[in-house]
Amino acid sequence: MTDTPIREGLAPIRDRVLSFAVPARDVRGRVIRLDASITAILAAHDYPPALAQLLGEALVVTAMLGATLRENGGGLTLQAQSDGPVSLLVCDYNAGQLRGYLRGEPDTPAGDLATMFGTGHLAITLDQTDASERYQGIVPLEGDSIADAIEQYFRASEQLPTLIRTAVAGNTLTGYSAGGLLLQYLPRGEEGRARLFAEDDGTPEPEDWQHMRTLAATVTADELNSPDLTEEALLWRLFHEEEVRLTPGPTPTRGCRCSLAHIKDVIERFPEAERADMRGADGMIGVDCQFCARVWRIAA
């Protein structure tokens, strides 16, 4: 990877991830913009505004976390299950491809996680490569937002102080756009030095983290979603007094992995007696993909 000097940009590039690091402050992060990808995902389901906002935020967080994975394998899944109005939320990121859906009551009110989910948990499942063992972390659905729950997960499970900000705008008619900022303090330093900070041993927050977190927290929803502000320009606004290294990430796209060939292959693995039970009156087997809201009709 090559480092790009921080500078103010001109025309914004949509559906983009830009990673950055501030070595002198032992901080790293990511800025993301989603446009066509998030519009395709949300518009396919025609969610009410509160549910679209919720899933949109989860998609932004998933893409920011997933962008840390290697491009040649592995994936990240964010899944929330609960006993409340929103009973299930699933987002998946794999090699730049993003997808997601949720199941919720149409009249679910906008609010904090307890209001929308009730009691439940949020699981982060990570596959670094296709051949590696799966890692999963679980955190309660607590806080004002999905971003709050993920921040708590990193603090409690990874000892990685984290700040996350997201913004989602638009609707099915106009299309959607979204933006996000993730900032993390490296517990062992950018250059692999000795451990710098761990909350569980009572160590006070380092001044570097306090400084960078304070700057990052000034970002607004309008800035995260502005069509007139590039990712470089946003980072310049926040951290122009710092030496910031930039590394472009993979372009996020909507990527549901269902296909006619894949579905046929799965169906053919069932015994004939079970396939007979699947057939409708017209002799076809219907397969519903929750991610892309499409029903595949298979001649069996």
Side-chain angles (χ1 to χ4, degrees):
M1 293 184 180
T2 58
D3 293 328
T4 303
I6 189 168
R7 60 179 175 80
E8 291 194 69
L10 299 175
I13 301 174
R14 307 310 304 216
D15 287 299
R16 186 186 183 206
V17 175
L18 183 64
S19 296
F20 65 92
V22 185
R25 301 283 189 178
D26 296 305
V27 163
R28 69 181 178 191
R30 233 153 280 115
V31 176
I32 190 169
R33 293 278 176 73
L34 301 178
D35 188 11
S37 59
I38 198 169
T39 293
I41 294 170
L42 296 180
H45 295 271
D46 194 21
Y47 293 115
L51 298 186
Q53 284 283 328
L54 177 65
L55 181 56
E57 178 193 7
L59 289 165
V60 171
V61 173
T62 300
M64 285 196 294
L65 298 180
T68 64
L69 302 174
R70 297 174 182 174
E71 293 186 39
N72 59 348
L76 182 141
T77 301
L78 193 71
Q79 180 169 328
Q81 290 182 288
S82 76
D83 60 3
V86 180
S87 59
L88 178 67
L89 180 149
V90 182
C91 295
D92 177 83
Y93 179 96
N94 190 293
Q97 294 189 328
L98 183 66
R99 60 181 184 169
Y101 77 97
L102 59 73
R103 287 203 300 261
E105 299 296 333
D107 58 352
T108 300
D112 60 15
L113 296 183
T115 298
M116 302 192 77
F117 286 98
T119 302
H121 66 269
L122 180 68
I124 302 172
T125 304
L126 178 66
D127 289 313
Q128 285 286 7
T129 66
D130 291 335
S132 67
E133 292 185 4
R134 176 173 295 184
Y135 167 79
Q136 186 175 75
I138 298 176
V139 65
L141 279 166
E142 298 175 350
D144 290 334
S145 64
I146 295 289
D148 283 349
I150 297 297
E151 287 182 359
Q152 176 57 30
Y153 162 77
F154 278 112
R155 284 194 299 267
S157 300
E158 303 295 326
Q159 292 297 307
L160 200 61
T162 300
L163 178 143
I164 300 174
R165 295 292 184 269
T166 64
V168 180
N171 55 56
T172 302
L173 294 177
T174 64
Y176 292 90
S177 64
L181 172 71
L182 178 143
L183 189 75
Q184 292 182 314
Y185 185 73
L186 304 179
R188 294 189 182 277
E190 176 71 14
E191 306 299 334
R193 298 188 295 270
R195 177 173 286 275
L196 299 171
F197 170 66
E199 284 188 326
D200 59 355
D201 66 3
T203 305
E205 282 192 351
E207 291 184 4
D208 284 338
W209 171 242
Q210 292 183 34
H211 174 72
M212 295 299 292
R213 183 188 62 189
T214 299
L215 293 178
T218 65
V219 72
T220 67
D222 287 343
E223 287 176 325
L224 288 174
N225 233 339
S226 172
D228 301 318
L229 190 66
T230 66
E231 295 74 35
E232 289 89 347
L234 175 59
L235 292 176
W236 175 265
R237 205 282 288 171
L238 294 173
F239 309 126
H240 60 272
E241 295 183 354
E242 307 293 334
E243 181 181 346
V244 181
R245 298 177 182 175
L246 304 182
T247 306
T251 300
T253 60
R254 183 210 185 183
C256 191
R257 294 189 291 276
C258 70
S259 68
L260 185 61
H262 173 71
I263 293 171
K264 282 185 174 180
D265 179 65
V266 172
I267 291 176
E268 287 173 358
R269 298 176 189 177
F270 288 89
E272 171 55 29
E274 294 186 28
R275 292 203 299 270
D277 290 338
M278 298 177 190
R279 296 188 184 103
D282 58 358
M284 306 287 283
I285 295 177
V287 179
D288 185 5
C289 176
Q290 295 292 328
F291 284 104
C292 64
R294 180 175 179 180
V295 178
W296 296 83
R297 305 291 294 174
I298 311 297

